[in-house]
Amino acid sequence: MPKFSSTKLHWLADTPTSALFDDIYFSIEDGLAETKHVFHDSNQLTERFAAVDTFTIGETGFGTGLNFLATWKLFREQAPASAKLHFVSVEKYPIALDDLTQALALWPELSMFSEQLIVQYPSPSPGFHQLFFDDGRITLTLMLGDAVDCYRQLDAQVDAWFLDGFTPAKNPEMWCPELFQQIGRLSKPETTFSTFTCAGVVKRGMRDVGFTVKKVTGFGRKREMFVGTFTADKPDQHPPESPAWARLPLKHSGEKTAIVIGAGIAGCSTAHSLAKRGWKVTVVDRHPQIAAEGSGNHQGALYAKLPIEPIPTSRIHLSGYLYSSHFLSQYLSDRSDIWSPCGLLQLAAHEKEQAKHQKLAESGNYPDSVVRYVEQQEASEIAGTTVSNSGLYFPEAGWVSPPLLCQWLCEHPNITVMTDTQITRLVRDDHQWHCFTQNDQPLTAAICIIASAADSVAFEQTSYLPVQNIRGQVSITNEHSGLPELNTVLCSEGYISPTQQGRYCFGATFELKDPLTDIRESGHQHNLTKITNMAPDLGDALTQYHVNHPLSGRVGFRCASPDKLPIVGPAPVYDGFIKDYARLRHDAKSVIETVPQHYPGLFVNLAHGSKGLISCPISGEVIAAMLENEPLPLEKELIDKLIPARFIIKNLIRRAI
C-alpha cells in the first residue's frame, strides 16, 4: 500500500485553498449555493429524495465535507423518515481537523451537522472509514486514498455522482480514464452525474463509459458545466480484480427476519447491525446466558497489532480497530462499565521487538493519532507504574467488557434473545430457514447467520470449515486494595487492564488441543509472570496479593482459522464449489467465470480468535451491508480474504480436495 499523506490548508480571506494544487475548495462567491446548483439541483435531488427508500451518492473529492453536510441537510428535509442515505466519498489529501473546523464554521446554518462530523472525523489512515449519523439513517463511507484505487475496491450501486475535486487542469491525475471506468462500473440505468467543470476530458470520459453528457449553465463565474445520465447496458458489477468465486449474492428481497446462532460478540454484533436496519432478529444460544464462552471475560483489550508495512491482514485488523473504537466512543461514551478509552501500551518484549516498534513509528504508515512510539520513561508515566521497556501507544484504544457489550447490543427492540436453546440442524424450505432445536422444534426466518464459533462445524452446511479452539485462562483479583493503580491497558506477551469494579483482570494462557475448563494454578503463575515482565512493581504486588488472597479465574476458548482471519460472509455450497472450480486443481491461474453457488440466505460470522473486539463489530456491518446491497465497509479485496469460500478454493489449488 503506498505511503499516505495529508494536507494543510492555506487561507485566502475566508476561502480555504490547496497549496498542492493552487486551487480553491469551494466558490469564493458562495460555496453552499454552489453545492445546491451544481450537485443538488443538477441531480434533481429534491424530487428524488422525496420518493426513495435508500439512495447512494458517490463523490470525488471530500475536501471540507461541505457537499456531504448540505446533502445530509437536504435529505433530512425531503426524504421519508424511514429512508436511508449512503454518501460515499474519496479524499487523497484529507485536511487536518482544525482546518476542517475552521472551514465549516463559515456555514452556521450547517452547524448541527458539521459539529457531528467534526466529532467523528477519522484519523488520516488510508482505507475505508464508515461513519453513522441520525441513528444510522445517514451513512458516510469516507475512503482515504487515491480515487481510482479506492473506487476500484468499492462494492456498491450509485444513484448519483458528484464529480468534484480540484479542476482537471490542475489535478489531471484524478480525472483519468481509469476513474471514469470505475464510475461506469458502479452506475446503473438512470444514474445521474453533475460536475462544476466542462473540460473535454470529462465529457469524453463519461461518454465512453455509458453516460449521455450535456452542457448546462454553471455557477457564478463558470458559464457552463456538465450533467448526464447513465444509459448503457449494465456491465458486470463485481470489481474486475475480484475472482468469480468471490462474487457476493444478490440483495435479499424477502421479509426481513433473521436467526443468529450464537450470542457472543460476533452474533450480538450481527444482530445489532441487522436490527438497526429494521430486521426482526432472534438470537439463539445454548447456554443459560449470553456471552458465556469466548466473549465472557470481564475485560478485553481493544487494539490492533500492526506490522511495519501494511498487509491485507493488518489492514483488516486496523479497519476493525478504528471502527470499533469509533463505534464505542459514539454510542457508549457514558457507559464506563462497558468501555474505557484509557489508551493502550504495546510494550516491547525484547530488543528485536523494540527495533520493530521504532521502525514502525518511522515508517510514516500510521498517523500519531492511531499509534506512536514512546520511550520507557514516557510509557511508565502514561501507565502510572514502572514498565520494563519502550512501546507503541494507541491513544484511542482501551478496554471493553465483552459480556456487558453483548448485553447492550441485544437491548435493541428488534432483537429477541433465546437462551438454553441449542440448534442441532438447519433445513431450507419455502424461502425460509428452519432451525431445529434440541427438542426438534423449528425456529423459522428468512435468513440464518451462524455465529457459534467452533460449534459451527456441527451443521452439515458448514462442517468443512477449518476452525479450532484455543484454550485461554485469565486471572482475576477479588479487590485491589493496596495494589498499584494502572492508568492504561498494558499488552506484550500478556495483558492487563485498569480495574473494573475494583478488580484486575489479566492473562491469558494460550493452549491448543486442551478442552478442559478447570482453573489451574499453573495458569495463574503463567499470567503473573507475564505481568511482572511488563510492569515489575505491579507484577510483584499481584504475586504477593495471590499469596494472601487466592486469585479467581475464568477459562474461555478462542475460535481461530488457519490464516488467523475471521470467517465472514455467505455460506458456499461445498460440493457445488468443488464441481464448478475443479479446474483450479490443475491450473491455479485459470479464469473461471461460473457464478458461485451459495446457500440462499445462509451466512457465517466466526473464527475471530483473540481479536473479536476489533473484528466482530465491523463483520456484523459487512453481513448487513451484503444483505441490504449497501456500500461495503471494507475494500472488496479485503472482503475476499474473509469469505468462507476461500478455504475451498485454497484446498482445490493445493489439490487437498
Side-chain angles (χ1 to χ4, degrees):
M1 195 172 214
K3 291 289 190 297
F4 192 68
S5 58
S6 57
T7 189
K8 288 281 288 184
L9 301 190
H10 288 179
W11 289 84
L12 180 64
D14 286 337
T15 303
T17 65
S18 168
L20 184 63
F21 293 101
D22 187 28
D23 203 357
I24 58 176
Y25 278 86
F26 45 72
S27 170
I28 295 176
E29 298 166 76
D30 189 336
L32 192 54
E34 179 186 36
T35 293
K36 181 179 185 301
H37 176 83
V38 174
F39 299 117
H40 292 177
D41 295 346
S42 299
N43 283 291
Q44 304 90 44
L45 293 189
T46 298
E47 299 81 6
R48 294 168 78 184
F49 282 173
V52 298
D53 179 29
T54 61
F55 198 88
T56 300
I57 291 173
E59 180 186 51
T60 57
F62 185 74
T64 64
L66 178 60
N67 291 339
F68 166 65
L69 296 175
T71 305
W72 175 6
K73 181 176 184 292
L74 180 67
F75 191 82
R76 176 185 272 194
E77 293 168 348
Q78 301 297 329
S82 60
K84 296 184 182 300
L85 173 67
H86 297 274
F87 195 101
V88 183
S89 188
V90 66
E91 181 56 65
K92 189 174 183 178
Y93 304 99
I95 66 176
L97 181 60
D98 56 348
D99 280 327
L100 180 83
T101 303
Q102 182 178 348
L104 294 179
L106 296 171
W107 316 109
E109 59 267 58
L110 297 177
S111 61
M112 68 175 294
F113 306 100
S114 58
E115 288 169 3
Q116 296 179 62
L117 174 62
I118 289 166
V119 168
Q120 294 199 48
Y121 193 60
S123 300
S125 178
F128 287 20
H129 301 261
Q130 200 162 76
L131 314 179
F132 298 95
F133 305 92
D134 281 0
D135 294 324
R137 188 182 180 205
I138 309 294
T139 303
L140 168 63
T141 302
L142 180 53
M143 308 180 296
L144 299 184
D146 177 78
V148 174
D149 292 342
C150 288
Y151 273 116
R152 184 178 285 134
Q153 292 300 327
L154 181 68
D155 196 328
Q157 280 194 336
V158 174
D159 295 292
W161 288 96
F162 293 1
L163 302 191
D164 205 358
F166 300 115
T167 181
K170 296 183 177 182
N171 186 21
E173 184 179 350
M174 187 191 82
W175 302 88
C176 63
E178 291 78 12
L179 176 63
F180 298 127
Q181 289 166 10
Q182 294 306 316
I183 290 171
R185 179 182 66 82
L186 294 165
S187 299
K188 58 186 180 181
E190 303 307 315
T191 293
T192 61
F193 88 90
S194 62
T195 180
F196 65 92
T197 183
C198 60
V201 65
V202 178
K203 179 180 180 180
R204 293 187 295 274
M206 294 300 281
R207 280 185 174 174
D208 287 347
V209 298
F211 283 84
T212 60
V213 181
K214 66 177 181 178
K215 284 183 180 179
V216 296
T217 303
F219 177 80
R221 300 176 185 179
K222 293 183 180 293
R223 293 189 304 167
E224 297 173 320
M225 54 176 268
F226 285 139
V227 300
T229 303
F230 190 79
T231 58
D233 293 335
K234 193 67 201 86
D236 197 355
Q237 275 297 121
H238 75 288
E241 291 80 7
S242 192
W245 58 263
R247 298 181 197 179
L248 301 175
L250 298 176
K251 176 182 178 179
H252 173 70
S253 59
E255 64 178 27
K256 291 188 174 185
T257 58
I259 292 172
V260 177
I261 304 172
I265 303 176
C268 296
S269 294
T270 307
H272 186 84
S273 292
L274 290 171
K276 70 182 184 182
R277 290 167 169 82
W279 288 66
K280 298 295 183 182
V281 186
T282 300
V283 178
V284 184
D285 198 278
R286 64 186 177 92
H287 293 285
Q289 68 280 333
I290 66 174
E293 295 201 17
S295 300
N297 288 343
H298 296 291
Q299 289 171 288
L302 180 81
Y303 86 113
K305 197 167 185 178
L306 304 173
I308 297 170
E309 296 294 331
I311 58 176
T313 298
S314 71
R315 288 165 54 201
I316 292 170
H317 292 154
L318 178 57
S319 292
Y321 160 68
L322 294 173
Y323 179 87
S324 289
S325 61
H326 189 85
F327 176 86
L328 293 163
S329 295
Q330 181 179 6
Y331 293 108
L332 293 168
S333 60
D334 61 342
R335 290 294 302 270
S336 60
D337 57 330
I338 300 178
W339 158 237
S340 173
C342 58
L344 180 145
L345 283 164
Q346 181 190 342
L347 299 170
H350 42 72
E351 289 185 4
K352 186 176 180 181
E353 191 169 31
Q354 183 180 27
K356 286 184 178 180
H357 287 176
Q358 290 176 315
K359 288 181 180 179
L360 181 146
E362 295 166 358
S363 70
N365 290 320
Y366 310 100
D368 287 350
S369 56
V370 172
V371 62
R372 64 182 177 88
Y373 179 79
V374 290
E375 296 287 358
Q376 179 184 1
Q377 181 176 346
E378 185 181 359
S380 297
E381 292 170 356
I382 292 171
T385 188
T386 301
V387 299
S388 58
N389 212 334
S390 61
L392 297 172
Y393 180 54
F394 293 76
E396 297 180 352
W399 64 259
V400 178
S401 172
L404 293 180
L405 175 60
C406 288
Q407 180 179 323
W408 179 84
L409 289 167
C410 287
E411 288 173 355
H412 195 286
N414 285 340
I415 297 176
T416 300
V417 177
M418 296 181 62
T419 53
D420 283 317
T421 304
Q422 183 167 2
I423 303 300
T424 59
R425 61 192 176 95
L426 307 175
V427 177
R428 175 78 175 179
D429 185 33
D430 295 330
H431 306 291
Q432 298 279 314
W433 279 102
H434 305 280
C435 306
F436 288 88
T437 70
Q438 69 269 37
N439 300 319
D440 210 34
Q441 297 299 309
L443 302 175
T444 302
I447 299 295
C448 178
I449 298 104
I450 300 173
S452 51
D455 289 347
S456 60
V457 297
F459 300 114
E460 176 187 355
Q461 294 86 350
T462 49
S463 59
Y464 70 92
L465 289 174
V467 295
Q468 61 177 340
N469 269 334
I470 303 170
R471 183 184 188 274
Q473 177 181 319
V474 297
S475 302
I476 306 165
T477 65
N478 294 317
E479 42 83 21
H480 77 292
S481 177
L483 292 171
E485 294 288 343
L486 183 62
N487 298 333
T488 191
V489 181
L490 301 180
C491 285
S492 182
E493 293 177 330
Y495 75 90
I496 185 169
S497 301
T499 58
Q500 179 201 31
Q501 298 178 337
R503 298 183 297 178
Y504 274 117
C505 178
F506 57 97
T509 63
F510 190 92
E511 297 153 300
L512 294 169
K513 299 180 180 179
D514 188 339
L516 302 181
T517 60
D518 57 308
I519 304 299
R520 302 167 186 168
E521 177 60 23
S522 60
H524 289 322
Q525 292 302 322
H526 172 277
N527 294 338
L528 288 166
T529 298
K530 298 303 181 185
I531 302 307
T532 302
N533 291 342
M534 286 194 297
D537 294 345
L538 180 57
D540 290 345
L542 287 168
T543 300
Q544 186 58 44
Y545 172 94
H546 185 41
V547 172
N548 302 317
H549 311 276
L551 293 165
S552 60
R554 184 182 184 278
V555 169
F557 293 90
R558 316 169 183 94
C559 173
S561 70
D563 58 16
K564 303 301 186 288
L565 283 173
I567 306 174
V568 181
V573 178
Y574 184 81
D575 291 340
F577 261 69
I578 291 177
K579 176 184 176 183
D580 292 338
Y581 303 106
R583 206 159 71 235
L584 295 174
R585 290 188 181 118
H586 310 289
D587 181 5
K589 297 182 180 180
S590 180
V591 177
I592 305 171
E593 290 298 329
T594 305
V595 176
Q597 299 182 49
H598 295 107
Y599 290 104
L602 184 64
F603 291 76
V604 301
N605 188 357
L606 45 88
H608 294 270
S610 60
K611 303 178 180 69
L613 287 172
I614 65 172
S615 55
C616 288
I618 198 168
S619 294
E621 285 297 304
V622 166
I623 289 176
M626 289 178 181
L627 286 166
E628 293 279 329
N629 196 29
E630 298 173 357
L632 295 175
L634 286 171
E635 297 94 315
K636 186 58 170 63
E637 67 177 342
L638 302 185
I639 297 289
D640 293 353
K641 301 288 185 182
L642 300 178
I643 58 177
R646 70 187 192 264
F647 298 109
I648 303 175
I649 298 301
K650 287 177 182 178
N651 284 331
L652 283 171
I653 291 173
R654 295 168 182 164
R655 301 183 186 179
I657 54 176

